[in-house]
Amino acid sequence: MSIAEKFVTMEYGPAPEDAKDALLWLDRHERRFVHFIDGTWRDPAEGIFFDSTDPATGDKLAAVAQGSAADVDAAVKAARNALPKWQSLSTHNRARYLYAMARAIQRHSRRLAVLETLDNGKPIRESRDIDIPLVIRHFYHHAGWAQLLETEFPGYTACGVVGQIIPWNFPLLMLAWKIAPAIATGNTVVLKPAEFTPLTALAFAEICQEIELPAGVVNIVTGDGSTGEALVKHPGVDKIAFTGSTEVGRAIRRATAPSHKRLSLELGGKSPFVVFEDADLDSAVEGLVDGIWLNQGQVCCAGSRLLMQESIAETLMEKIRYRMSTLRVGSPLDKGIDIGAIVAPVQLERIRRLVDQGVAEGATCWQPRTEMPTRGLYFPPTLLSNVHPSSIVAQQEIFGPVLAAMTFRTPAEAVELANNTAYGLAASVWSESINVSLQVAAQIKAGVVWVNCTNMFDAACGFGGYRESGYGREGGREGLIEYLEPVWFKNASSITPSGRKREAPVDGQHADVAIDRTVKLYIGGKQARPDSGYSFEVRGEKGELLGEAPLGNRKDIRNAVEAARKAVWGKTSAHNRAQVLYYMAENLSLRQEEIARRLSAAVGEAQARREVAMSIERIFTYAAWADKFDGAVHNPPSRTIAIAMNESIGTVGVVTPTDAPLLGLLSLVLPNLAAGNSSIVVPSETYPLIVGDLYQIFDTSDLPDGTVNLVTGHTTELLKTIAEHDDVDAVWCFSDADNAASAKLFSAGNLKQVFTNEGRVIDWYDPKQAEGRWFLQHATQVKNVWVPYGE
Ligand code: NAI
């Protein structure tokens, strides 16, 4: 067809990308890849290989080594050996390696883009214009962080050897998100790429050789889930960073619970794409093309739930259907293609099954009459309407080019529907009213909210989820923190279990001992008797009876959680939170003599006086912080600002230390108060009577009901109930190593965030250890709100 004729028909001709260079590279490696360990290529211990195929054609691209536990062990050892030398390099020298990586990837960018498209099936337009440029930007940006590390993170050190497991949807980009911050902060790495898409990670290994990265700093072990499992369980790994399905994330949470491995999880999503009646509908439709049809919808933050204001629903649906019929499905190497191939048969099968299930549940399925390739793994763009919010296609991640559409009437209803999910990764909000969009952005529970845009990413902006979408962030300052630990904490010794034995419960109504003091539980701003009707004796250091404390149980915790969720504290302004905290300090000072006198029976006079005096100071510290723990405004390369807000987490369960019954408790409750969280607190079993003094202070300081709830009882039992409770958003457990492990294990159900002392000693009297940013960071989660500007 001549060009003149094409102008008449407006038909696309094929525009294939030449894959010769990438194929030559595969040939150069004889289409057979082994592991990259300690700077060299190493045969798999068990000699097993699997195929990596092109999903667009089904052709085998290469044989790739299946990693065994022995291969993982060799890689972890190499990473461990490389650690001292890597850490002794100056930050400038580490920065130079990251910079060299960025430059080398830039040099090979076209070959890497083609390789990615061959292995994954994504359109070349995307790998060339989105994936690889973002990879390069990530290494440049983190070369900068490596340079600034010591001045920007004084007192912090690397975790050590990091195990990283990545998925197949953005293979090289996920590698960059993992490796760049890890090595910039002085860690060494063992990375396992996904079994469907290992090739660009192996090309990256070659780049590590090319730039003469010291051996063992980056190790790549290929294989399937069993290889990942071996890495997760390896005792020589200090931290696991995982991106993938929520199900595997949960398994990793459980597997790492008994260890001190740090963990960050970037999991699935079912992100809402909310369109208000005053939105620019044509822009919203284009946004949707990026939101759900980018990478065939195989995107963790895909805008897969379309929420439309009822008044514009029909108009919008018509525009969407028209636009869908112009989308071209076909060979990913064709530059004019919008939708490429699905990564693997199992994924295609999963998409089909979920769509069928959605239709069986009443959804209406619409697909354009798009010409589909006859060979390869393809699924047409799909629109499901009449979707009930509880339908499987509205709740489960489909990870395919499938949009589920629903309607709403008011902004409040939009927020309710948007949050009607266990996930909380991202959201996209479309309205020409800045007030409406920012108000809705603030209310949606998600780590990233794009206003009038979608699927924007940048190395400077944190990315990561709320709730079952995981925890930890990738990108920016908050992403680096995931790979760092306070030096003092790393070197802290472990708590030796206290010799005090647990007292037998006594029936509160019939106790006939002479009791100094009996306290109650404190729930919803009121003193409450325990559901069990039992108390337990509290004894001093010499075994003398100090009083009785209620034996709280499951039911009391449930009541406390309900009260905490109703508390208005999260909605009060930071200034007001500071005022209440100052008031608390004032009230504690007024009563310091009598409180110290009572506390001295348990911990001796000197400690009691010190604890009370220091507690007053600590309250002042957090009153000061309450209106100062600000976020940031990022400046990504696009004409957009990304507002990084430190948001409260919600309801936090707090298990407090035994060594400082008052100061230890307050050191954990106060950062949560400053951040706007409400809490359910388990006071130390050794001196739970402190609650009597605390609730009097809370009551006289205008602390709203339910903000802090105090449930005394047996720590281990109460911790389990708190960690398993689905309405608790985070657990802080500062007790022994066994309780730290339980906190992690039992919280895996709804993947709540867990912050523990790992059973280590914290000097509660030392402000460098016991207060400040480290605690505030754990009391908040960062939400990045992207807002475009300009014409
Ligand atoms: P997956 O979670 O099984 O795979 C992700 C990575 O984890 C791969 O490298 C895999 O080898 C590894 N892995 C699997 N089991 C493991 C284990 N027990 N321990 C350690 N590592 C393990 O995801 P899959 O099966 O490929 O996809 C299933 C669904 O998961 C998708 O349909 C999608 O809904 C979701 N998914 C979400 C992703 C995201 O970016 N949030 C990425 C990939 C999948």
Side-chain angles (χ1 to χ4, degrees):
M1 195 188 292
S2 72
I3 291 180
E5 281 167 335
K6 275 188 187 158
F7 271 126
V8 176
T9 63
M10 290 304 275
E11 263 180 30
Y12 287 90
E17 171 78 22
D18 188 354
K20 199 169 70 202
D21 189 32
L23 295 173
L24 271 175
W25 181 81
L26 289 174
D27 290 339
R28 201 150 35 81
H29 286 270
E30 295 170 351
R31 302 221 175 205
R32 184 177 174 280
F33 290 90
V34 294
H35 306 305
F36 181 68
I37 296 174
D38 209 14
T40 57
W41 298 103
R42 230 183 273 167
D43 283 328
E46 292 178 356
I48 301 171
F49 286 78
F50 63 93
D51 289 348
S52 194
T53 53
D54 177 351
T57 60
D59 295 343
K60 172 177 167 179
L61 292 167
V64 179
Q66 166 63 31
S68 61
D71 299 322
V72 167
D73 187 52
V76 172
K77 284 197 175 116
R80 177 66 58 195
N81 290 339
L83 201 54
K85 205 163 147 215
W86 183 241
Q87 295 195 331
S88 69
L89 283 186
S90 70
T91 51
H92 173 65
N93 276 333
R94 284 208 297 265
R96 289 177 81 113
Y97 281 112
L98 278 120
Y99 181 75
M101 277 175 182
R103 300 276 298 169
I105 296 168
Q106 209 157 23
R107 268 200 309 280
H108 301 301
S109 59
R110 199 60 173 237
R111 191 218 306 144
L112 290 168
V114 174
L115 202 54
E116 198 75 301
T117 284
L118 285 172
D119 209 15
N120 166 279
K122 64 172 68 199
I124 183 72
R125 237 169 3 99
E126 292 177 13
S127 47
R128 184 194 62 193
D129 299 344
I130 300 172
D131 293 52
I132 307 300
L134 281 171
V135 169
I136 296 164
R137 161 110 178 108
H138 221 78
F139 279 102
Y140 277 130
H141 182 78
H142 284 85
W145 278 123
Q147 177 78 22
L148 300 177
L149 193 71
E150 273 165 14
T151 47
E152 284 301 296
F153 295 92
Y156 278 80
T157 185
C159 297
V161 173
V162 182
Q164 305 185 314
I165 298 165
I166 55 172
W168 40 261
N169 52 348
F170 292 89
L172 195 62
L173 184 57
M174 290 301 103
L175 174 148
W177 282 21
K178 295 277 180 290
I179 289 184
I183 63 173
T185 43
N187 299 275
T188 55
V189 164
V190 178
L191 177 131
K192 190 202 83 67
E195 53 272 47
F196 300 140
T197 55
L199 297 181
T200 45
L202 295 161
F204 178 80
E206 199 178 63
I207 286 173
C208 292
Q209 284 185 317
E210 186 182 317
I211 64 155
E212 295 176 12
L213 184 74
V217 172
V218 169
N219 304 275
I220 311 274
V221 178
T222 48
D224 59 11
S226 66
T227 317
E229 218 177 318
L231 186 54
V232 165
K233 291 193 174 146
H234 196 291
V237 171
D238 299 301
K239 177 197 157 78
I240 292 289
F242 171 77
T243 299
S245 61
T246 294
E247 197 188 326
V248 173
R250 209 171 266 135
I252 293 178
R253 167 73 291 175
R254 292 195 176 109
T256 52
S259 70
H260 296 309
K261 289 185 186 115
R262 293 263 311 272
L263 178 62
S264 49
L265 299 172
E266 203 271 88
L267 309 175
K270 192 77 196 176
S271 300
F273 190 102
V274 189
V275 186
F276 286 94
E277 59 190 3
D278 66 347
D280 172 349
L281 295 189
D282 292 319
S283 298
V285 171
E286 284 316 304
L288 210 46
V289 171
D290 285 340
I292 183 65
W293 291 299
L294 176 84
N295 199 13
Q296 298 71 249
Q298 302 167 124
V299 182
C300 50
C301 52
S304 52
R305 278 188 301 146
L306 171 63
L307 308 179
M308 310 169 281
Q309 197 152 16
E310 216 169 61
S311 49
I312 46 103
E314 245 334 289
T315 320
L316 185 63
M317 291 283 274
E318 210 166 297
K319 283 177 186 283
I320 294 169
R321 281 191 289 262
Y322 174 75
R323 185 65 178 89
M324 283 171 75
S325 57
T326 66
L327 292 173
R328 302 184 70 228
V329 183
S331 166
L333 280 174
D334 187 330
K335 291 169 209 148
I337 279 301
D338 299 298
I339 297 182
I342 301 297
V343 73
V346 54
Q347 187 60 22
L348 186 60
E349 201 33 58
R350 183 187 150 90
I351 299 169
R352 285 195 183 125
R353 179 171 46 80
L354 282 166
V355 169
D356 288 349
Q357 225 168 315
V359 171
E361 283 175 1
T364 309
C365 177
W366 187 86
Q367 291 169 332
R369 270 187 227 146
T370 308
E371 206 179 309
M372 297 291 288
T374 49
R375 199 174 156 225
L377 309 172
Y378 292 93
F379 196 87
T382 300
L383 177 63
L384 297 174
S385 52
N386 296 325
V387 173
H388 192 272
S390 65
S391 164
I392 192 153
V393 289
Q395 292 296 331
Q396 260 198 32
E397 186 171 45
I398 299 178
F399 235 57
V402 182
L403 180 64
M406 283 155 270
T407 58
F408 65 87
R409 292 197 182 131
T410 62
E413 209 185 356
V415 170
E416 201 183 314
L417 270 176
N419 287 336
N420 179 22
T421 166
Y423 295 114
L425 194 52
S428 180
V429 178
W430 295 76
S431 162
E432 290 297 288
S433 157
I434 191 80
N435 294 7
V436 170
S437 32
L438 290 185
Q439 166 79 354
V440 169
Q443 290 177 333
I444 292 181
K445 294 193 172 85
V448 184
V449 183
W450 293 292
V451 171
N452 292 331
C453 57
T454 191
N455 273 346
M456 309 277 281
F457 310 100
D458 185 54
C461 308
F463 181 89
Y466 282 25
R467 310 204 280 191
E468 291 184 30
S469 291
Y471 34 78
R473 294 286 178 269
E474 298 191 286
R477 182 180 279 273
E478 57 266 36
L480 289 174
I481 279 286
E482 296 295 327
Y483 290 95
L484 291 166
E485 277 185 312
V487 176
W488 68 263
F489 184 66
K490 198 157 192 173
N491 300 328
S493 54
S494 294
I495 289 174
T496 41
S498 93
R500 289 218 203 160
K501 62 176 189 354
R502 178 190 276 193
E503 303 299 336
V506 293
D507 185 331
Q509 269 122 51
H510 301 104
D512 55 4
V513 279
I515 291 165
D516 278 0
R517 197 129 200 265
T518 304
V519 294
K520 295 214 177 94
L521 306 178
Y522 183 64
I523 297 176
K526 292 186 186 59
Q527 295 178 33
R529 289 184 193 286
D531 170 69
S532 70
Y534 284 102
S535 302
F536 64 104
E537 291 179 352
V538 181
R539 292 188 179 269
E541 283 178 314
K542 296 184 199 82
E544 75 282 21
L545 185 66
L546 302 179
E548 281 183 2
L551 192 63
N553 67 10
R554 253 173 189 282
K555 179 110 189 291
D556 300 310
I557 293 288
R558 282 207 293 267
N559 291 343
V561 173
E562 210 178 306
R565 290 188 78 82
K566 280 195 200 133
V568 295
W569 187 246
K571 297 196 178 78
T572 54
S573 73
H575 171 75
N576 283 344
R577 294 202 292 267
Q579 293 299 110
V580 170
L581 285 165
Y582 281 125
Y583 203 7
M584 269 169 59
E586 214 178 288
N587 284 320
L588 178 57
S589 320
L590 283 175
R591 308 181 58 222
Q592 61 179 316
E593 279 303 319
E594 47 165 321
I595 292 175
R597 184 162 33 80
R598 275 196 287 273
L599 182 58
S600 60
V603 298
E605 195 182 337
Q607 179 177 331
R609 288 193 174 283
R610 225 175 139 209
E611 273 199 55
V612 176
M614 198 68 210
S615 292
I616 297 169
E617 236 184 279
R618 191 135 300 153
I619 303 177
F620 258 71
T621 298
Y622 284 104
W625 267 121
D627 61 354
K628 292 173 195 64
F629 193 58
D630 290 332
V633 179
H634 298 304
N635 209 351
S638 50
R639 281 199 306 179
T640 319
I641 49 166
I643 310 159
M645 306 196 299
N646 290 330
E647 287 199 338
S648 55
I649 291 182
T651 304
V652 181
V654 182
V655 171
T656 63
T658 51
D659 52 346
L662 174 67
L663 180 63
L665 182 149
L666 285 177
S667 299
L668 300 176
V669 170
L670 293 168
N672 280 300
L673 284 174
N677 296 321
S678 52
S679 49
I680 300 102
V681 183
V682 180
S684 137
E685 233 175 300
T686 46
Y687 188 64
L689 301 179
I690 196 68
V691 300
D693 294 309
L694 285 171
Y695 53 61
Q696 282 176 12
I697 291 169
F698 295 154
D699 279 344
T700 47
S701 306
D702 291 346
L703 188 70
D705 293 350
T707 306
V708 179
N709 305 277
L710 303 163
V711 181
T712 55
H714 296 322
T715 307
T716 309
E717 285 159 32
L718 298 179
L719 167 64
K720 183 166 187 283
T721 307
I722 289 176
E724 284 177 343
H725 200 303
D726 275 349
D727 284 338
V728 175
D729 303 302
V731 183
W732 288 24
C733 178
F734 282 64
S735 171
D736 56 24
D738 287 347
N739 281 336
S742 302
K744 296 177 204 169
L745 184 67
F746 297 127
S747 65
N750 72 345
L751 284 165
K752 38 179 91 59
Q753 307 190 18
V754 186
F755 179 33
T756 85
N757 60 339
E758 302 294 336
R760 291 175 204 162
V761 177
I762 293 182
D763 180 356
W764 298 108
Y765 305 93
D766 178 359
K768 285 201 195 73
Q769 295 194 7
E771 65 183 38
R773 285 187 178 273
W774 192 53
F775 290 89
L776 288 160
Q777 274 153 9
H778 286 93
T780 51
Q781 48 195 347
V782 184
K783 175 189 275 179
N784 272 274
V785 180
W786 293 63
V787 186
Y789 58 83
E791 288 293 293

